[in-house]
């Protein structure tokens, strides 16, 4: 049994479990905190944003005038911080640890853990099964469509890329570099990607037993966290693993957490 963590954020899980020759992805969250490093997308022209001073490294080994010119065009300074003047980019799950096209099953625990699904289903060669509840799929669709609408309502023709080059990135201010991996940044997907990804989702119900190639049996149990949220029990003939996602034992509107079968 092997477990890979593809997310750098503790509250945005994306794990891959290799168990009994089956590769299972547990959640596919999308890290949106990277968007805080980009200038906002105003619906109307903002004179203040247009007049922000450019930023370029003062102490740098590069003598490339074109690089400095590009950085001044891509980076703006505001209130002592440096921001990227480009359409916002999000941090996708790590795709260098293993070939995501080999994933057999994706288990989605809640609507908060489905936002990276289009990057996996549409851009990696993934051809497996995806399981989620109907509330998770519907609320996840709503969040994805809002994300697409936000990024497409003010289209920009220029996309900044020079600042992400390794030799340039290491010269940027610490507040811009901290917790940011340029290799994982991607522009937001489109509405076609959202529809295509969600069309592949198979809806499951409480305690429904799912057979995976005769090697594993997967069963969802309520986690009590939000409407449609699940924990997952993964069984082979002689072993059992439980994936505990975001859970709550408080009595609220979701179905209570089922701890008995974990």
């Amino acid at each position: 049994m092997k477990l890979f963590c593809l997310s750098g954020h503790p509250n945005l899980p994306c794990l891959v479990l290799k168990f009994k020759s089956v590769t299972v992805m547990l959640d596919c969250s999308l890290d949106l905190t990277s968007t805080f490093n980009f200038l906002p997308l105003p619906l109307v022209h903002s004179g203040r944003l247009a007049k922000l001073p450019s930023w370029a490294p003062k102490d740098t080994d590069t003598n490339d005038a074109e690089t400095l010119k590009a950085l001044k065009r891509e980076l703006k300074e505001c209130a002592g911080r440096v921001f990227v003047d480009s359409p916002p980019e999000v941090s996708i799950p790590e795709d260098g640890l293993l070939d995501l096209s080999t994933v057999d099953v994706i288990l989605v625990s809640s609507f908060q853990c489905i936002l990276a699904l289009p990057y996996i289903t549409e851009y990696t060669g993934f051809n497996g099964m995806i399981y989620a509840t109907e509330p998770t799929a519907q609320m996840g669709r709503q969040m994805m469509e809002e994300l697409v609408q936000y990024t497409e309502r003010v289209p920009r023709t220029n996309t900044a890329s020079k600042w992400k080059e390794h030799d340039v990135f290491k010269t940027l201010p610490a507040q811009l570099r901290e917790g940011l991996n340029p290799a994982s940044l991607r522009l937001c997907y489109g509405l076609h990607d959202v529809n295509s990804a969600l069309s592949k989702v198979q809806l499951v119900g409480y305690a429904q037993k799912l057979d995976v190639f005769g090697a594993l049996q997967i069963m969802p149990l309520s986690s009590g966290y939000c409407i449609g949220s699940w924990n997952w029990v993964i069984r082979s003939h002689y072993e059992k693993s439980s994936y505990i996602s975001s859970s709550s034992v408080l009595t609220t509107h979701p179905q209570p957490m089922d701890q008995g079968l974990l």
Side-chain angles (χ1 to χ4, degrees), residues 190-257:
L191 191 59
H192 173 76
D193 297 325
V194 173
N195 292 330
S196 179
L198 291 176
S199 69
K200 301 177 175 69
V201 175
Q202 299 182 41
L203 304 181
V204 296
Y206 172 75
Q208 180 179 343
K209 295 181 179 179
L210 308 169
D211 181 78
V212 181
F213 307 137
L216 296 179
Q217 185 183 84
I218 298 174
M219 182 170 63
L221 300 173
S222 176
S223 70
Y225 174 67
C226 64
I227 295 177
S229 62
W230 291 141
N231 292 321
W232 299 89
V233 176
I234 305 172
R235 296 176 181 269
S236 67
H237 294 295
Y238 304 103
E239 298 171 285
K240 180 179 81 169
S241 296
S242 296
Y243 173 55
I244 310 298
S245 63
S246 298
S247 302
S248 175
V249 295
L250 298 177
T251 303
T252 56
H253 52 284
Q255 185 172 338
M257 180 181 179

Side-chain angles (χ1 to χ4, degrees), residues 28 41 76 119 198 202 240 248 258:
C28 47
L41 300 174
K76 303 296 181 180
Y119 291 110
L198 291 176
Q202 299 182 41
K240 180 179 81 169
S248 175
D258 187 341

Side-chain angles (χ1 to χ4, degrees), residues 71 88 98 104 135 174 244:
L71 289 179
L98 71 163
D104 299 304
I244 310 298

Side-chain angles (χ1 to χ4, degrees), residues 54-154:
S54 300
W55 184 92
K58 296 180 177 61
D59 300 323
T60 177
D61 296 331
T62 179
N63 294 317
D64 188 351
E66 289 298 324
T67 297
L68 294 177
K69 183 179 179 181
L71 289 179
K72 289 181 179 180
R73 185 173 59 251
E74 296 178 358
L75 302 177
K76 303 296 181 180
E77 190 171 2
C78 180
R81 289 175 57 92
V82 177
F83 296 89
V84 182
D85 187 13
S86 175
E89 300 182 30
V90 296
S91 296
I92 66 171
E94 173 64 48
D95 59 357
L97 288 178
L98 71 163
D99 184 359
L100 297 183
S101 65
T102 63
V103 173
D104 299 304
V105 184
I106 298 178
L107 305 179
V108 182
S109 301
S110 70
F111 68 91
Q112 296 174 334
C113 300
I114 197 175
L115 297 186
L117 187 64
Y119 291 110
I120 298 170
T121 61
E122 308 307 306
Y123 298 101
T124 66
F126 172 82
N127 196 33
M129 299 171 287
I130 308 167
Y131 294 115
T133 63
E134 184 174 2
T136 292
Q138 294 299 329
M139 288 189 286
R141 175 186 292 276
Q142 183 68 32
M143 293 186 68
M144 291 185 206
E145 290 178 349
E146 288 181 359
L147 181 60
V148 171
Q149 182 182 12
Y150 172 75
T151 56
E152 292 184 351
R153 64 180 181 176
V154 186

Side-chain angles (χ1 to χ4, degrees), residues 35-49:
T35 60
F36 298 159
N37 296 302
F38 293 79
L39 288 179
L41 300 174
L43 288 175
V44 295
H45 176 74
S46 171
R48 181 183 178 187
L49 289 179

